[in-house]
């Protein structure tokens, strides 16, 4: 029993550390069937461990409570610029680390974008949604760490139009237009919430389980 648990754990960790990047269309979402199924199994397990409760009030929320500014990482590069370089192709940056040229793929809607002006760095779990899921009780430092997290699959490049459509909604109200991305989206959402011990609502949990069903036969 212990050996089986360790085997599943190792397989799942392999899935979770795969970069959540905006790479070419369908092939990138479908080429890892065994890992996707193992990742979905762990996601269901993590989801079962999350507290189910009613969403808290949005009262007191403000964007600057999470993100007064993007944190800096290497040299002049801040979190946003780091994600744009990570998720893009043929990205060229100026001396201040700002992308001036490149190509970005938006996995939410399948669009290729040729200008940094048309893309956004999206928080998989929106900041306002995290606030209502328990982050309102965090310290300012923890909220800032959440908003700039490059370790968990919380930050991803998407089209500006998809990001606007999503807003601060959860999976019970909004899902990526590309059904092929539902498996990865749900797994990422659960991974982030589990790490930060954010709770889920009943409708949110049901929606996530439905999305995880798309991981089968991938």
């Amino acid at each position: 029993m212990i050996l089986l648990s360790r085997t599943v754990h190792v397989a799942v960790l392999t899935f979770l550390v795969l970069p959540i990047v905006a790479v070419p269309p369908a092939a990138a979402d479908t080429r890892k069937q065994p890992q996707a199924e193992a990742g979905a199994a762990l996601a269901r397990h993590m989801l079962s461990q999350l507290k189910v409760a009613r969403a808290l009030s949005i009262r007191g929320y403000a964007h600057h409570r999470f993100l007064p500014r993007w944190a800096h990482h290497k040299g002049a590069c801040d979190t946003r610029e780091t994600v744009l370089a990570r998720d893009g192709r043929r990205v060229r940056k100026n001396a201040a680390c700002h992308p001036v040229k490149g190509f970005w793929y938006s996995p939410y809607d399948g669009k290729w974008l040729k200008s940094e002006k048309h893309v956004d760095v999206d928080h998989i779990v929106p900041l306002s949604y995290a606030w209502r899921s328990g982050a309102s009780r965090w310290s300012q430092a923890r909220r800032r760490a959440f908003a700039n997290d490059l370790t968990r699959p919380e930050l991803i490049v998407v089209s500006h139009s998809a990001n606007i459509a999503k807003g601060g909604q959860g999976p019970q109200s909004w899902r990526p237009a590309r059904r092929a991305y539902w498996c990865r989206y749900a797994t990422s959402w659960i991974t982030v919430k589990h790490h930060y011990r954010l709770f889920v609502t009943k409708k949110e949990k049901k929606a996530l389980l439905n999305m995880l069903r798309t991981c089968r036969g991938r």
Side-chain angles (χ1 to χ4, degrees):
M1 185 66 179
I2 295 177
L3 178 60
L4 177 60
S5 176
R6 288 179 178 174
T7 301
V8 172
H9 185 63
V10 170
V12 166
L13 284 179
T14 301
F15 171 80
L16 290 179
V17 297
L18 287 174
I20 310 300
V21 296
V23 289
D29 295 321
T30 60
R31 66 189 177 188
K32 301 293 184 180
Q33 179 179 345
Q35 292 177 347
E37 293 177 351
L42 179 62
R44 291 187 186 91
H45 176 67
M46 291 191 294
L47 182 57
S48 71
Q49 295 180 326
L50 294 181
K51 177 182 177 181
V52 177
R54 292 183 179 180
L56 300 174
S57 171
I58 194 65
R59 180 179 300 175
Y61 168 75
H63 188 268
H64 69 80
R65 294 223 168 171
F66 287 85
L67 204 61
R69 61 186 177 281
W70 290 107
H72 276 78
H73 293 279
K74 295 181 179 179
C77 301
D78 63 24
T79 304
R80 183 178 187 276
E81 292 163 339
T82 300
V83 175
L84 287 172
R86 181 197 71 188
D87 289 4
R89 286 191 164 191
R90 302 177 189 173
V91 177
R92 293 177 58 185
K93 299 176 287 185
N94 60 23
C97 204
H98 190 76
V100 294
K101 189 175 182 180
F103 297 88
W104 290 269
Y105 179 71
S106 171
Y108 285 178
D109 49 17
K111 294 180 179 178
W112 276 104
L113 305 158
K114 299 180 181 180
S115 172
E116 177 266 339
K117 295 180 181 179
H118 298 151
V119 302
D120 286 340
V121 173
D122 180 48
H123 290 87
I124 291 286
V125 178
L127 303 183
S128 60
Y129 201 95
W131 178 271
R132 301 188 67 193
S133 302
S136 59
R137 300 163 179 168
W138 292 352
S139 67
Q140 180 73 22
R142 185 166 176 78
R143 286 194 290 266
R144 190 161 188 265
F146 174 86
N148 288 275
D149 192 345
L150 292 173
T151 303
R152 263 62 54 180
E154 168 65 354
L155 295 169
I156 185 173
V157 170
V158 301
S159 69
H160 177 70
S161 57
N163 192 34
I164 292 298
K166 175 185 174 183
Q169 300 178 84
Q172 69 276 24
S173 304
W174 183 91
R175 302 178 187 186
R178 286 184 61 241
R179 185 183 177 88
Y181 197 69
W182 286 9
C183 174
R184 180 59 65 90
Y185 186 77
T187 302
S188 297
W189 182 285
I190 294 167
T191 299
V192 171
K193 280 216 159 182
H194 186 268
H195 177 80
Y196 286 97
R197 297 296 187 265
L198 294 169
F199 62 77
V200 294
T201 67
K202 289 183 179 179
K203 290 183 178 180
E204 177 186 354
K205 184 174 183 177
K206 181 178 179 180
L208 288 167
L209 288 171
N210 286 335
M211 294 176 77
L212 287 176
R213 293 192 180 100
T214 65
C215 299
R216 299 173 183 173
R218 300 295 300 274

